[in-house]
Amino acid sequence: AQKVTQAQTEISVVEKEDVTLDCVYETRDTTYYLFWYKQPPSGELVFLIRRNSFDEQNEISGRYSWNFQKSTSSFNFTITASQVVDSAVYFCALDDNQFYFGTGTSLTVIP
Amino acid sequence: NAGVTQTPKFQVLKTGQSMTLQCAQDMNHNSMYWYRQDPGMGLRLIYYSASEGTTDKGEVPNGYNVSRLNKREFSLRLESAAPSQTSVYFCASSETAYNEQFFGPGTRLTVL
């Protein structure tokens, strides 16, 4: 069974639209960490955020925000006022003593 | 400060050949990781080393071996390459387990 599910394989939005990338995870541990990474077309992986299982506060960083809900095992990522430079594959990941990536959501922002 | 470096960047092997992928980090991190990335599969953990002197299997360890040579270096060896091992391989490091990982640029491996 997938430990991290990113059901949206591909999303296209027009520039300046808001977009939410979904992430659902599965773990039996009470202590775990969740991450989001970005992989632009150049191929490198860039860390965006880390959240531990005891901190359900939502976080905002510029145009990026994250919504962590333990009740639904979800850690969703919203980009506000999307820009062409946001076009990339975004990965959600879980660390519960092993490290699991989701299969990624490919976001295309159309100018 | 180079971060995480990987060599080579590209490699083509024939079935049955062996090779070692090299990874080094200069951030004094304790933990290091090897992943493979295949289309539609995301990244899958092959092996990791939580600290110098330890290595553990990840999700897809079959066909691979690793060596944590010292704190800086973590190599991945394919003893007898198979076409199913055609992939992009990423090395990563983190200060400790549970911290964010920093990734190398990747090695694109093709096995014919």
Side-chain angles (χ1 to χ4, degrees):
Chain A
Q2 273 284 96
K3 297 269 284 190
V4 179
T5 301
Q6 295 180 256
Q8 304 151 307
T9 307
E10 294 181 4
I11 299 177
S12 290
V13 297
V14 176
E15 202 170 20
K16 297 185 184 173
E17 285 185 347
D18 299 348
V19 58
T20 295
L21 310 182
D22 298 333
C23 173
V24 174
Y25 62 93
E26 177 189 336
T27 182
R28 292 181 180 177
D29 290 7
T30 54
T31 301
Y32 54 89
Y33 291 78
L34 296 162
F35 302 81
W36 276 94
Y37 287 86
K38 175 181 180 180
Q39 188 175 40
S42 51
E44 75 272 24
L45 281 140
V46 179
F47 163 76
L48 295 177
I49 190 170
R50 167 181 175 256
R51 172 68 73 220
N52 75 56
S53 53
F54 299 108
D55 181 3
E56 283 194 75
Q57 275 198 338
N58 292 332
E59 179 150 344
I60 299 174
S61 175
R63 295 184 297 107
Y64 295 171
S65 62
W66 290 269
N67 181 278
F68 177 29
Q69 293 200 337
K70 284 176 79 169
S71 60
T72 55
S73 297
S74 65
F75 186 43
N76 297 336
F77 173 30
T78 297
I79 302 174
T80 303
S82 59
Q83 300 176 0
V84 172
V85 293
D86 296 328
S87 296
V89 180
Y90 291 86
F91 292 98
C92 179
L94 165 70
D95 189 345
D96 63 356
N97 263 342
Q98 280 245 359
F99 210 79
Y100 300 95
F101 274 80
T103 51
T105 297
S106 177
L107 173 66
T108 301
V109 180
I110 303 164
Chain B
N1 218 3
V4 180
T5 57
Q6 292 182 234
T7 55
K9 286 189 167 55
F10 301 94
Q11 183 72 50
V12 178
L13 292 178
K14 294 181 180 176
T15 297
Q17 286 185 320
S18 62
M19 80 160 295
T20 300
L21 280 64
Q22 307 286 355
C23 174
Q25 52 91 8
D26 63 1
M27 296 174 281
N28 201 35
H29 285 170
N30 290 296
S31 303
M32 297 185 74
Y33 312 79
W34 276 107
Y35 294 88
R36 59 178 290 172
Q37 183 176 25
D38 303 294
M41 302 288 289
L43 282 86
R44 292 180 293 169
L45 183 64
I46 304 171
Y47 271 93
Y48 66 101
S49 171
S51 60
E52 189 179 354
T54 70
T55 60
D56 286 287
K57 294 178 181 179
E59 194 180 354
V60 289
N62 291 347
Y64 305 95
N65 284 302
V66 290
S67 294
R68 183 75 183 265
L69 305 167
N70 47 55
K71 193 172 185 180
R72 288 188 64 247
E73 298 171 288
F74 189 38
S75 63
L76 178 72
R77 183 159 178 85
L78 287 71
E79 289 292 351
S80 179
S84 60
Q85 293 178 305
T86 293
S87 187
V88 179
Y89 291 85
F90 285 97
C91 177
S93 71
S94 63
E95 191 173 337
T96 61
Y98 294 131
N99 287 117
E100 61 270 26
Q101 296 179 17
F102 295 84
F103 286 79
T107 295
R108 187 172 294 274
L109 175 67
T110 301
V111 183
L112 302 174

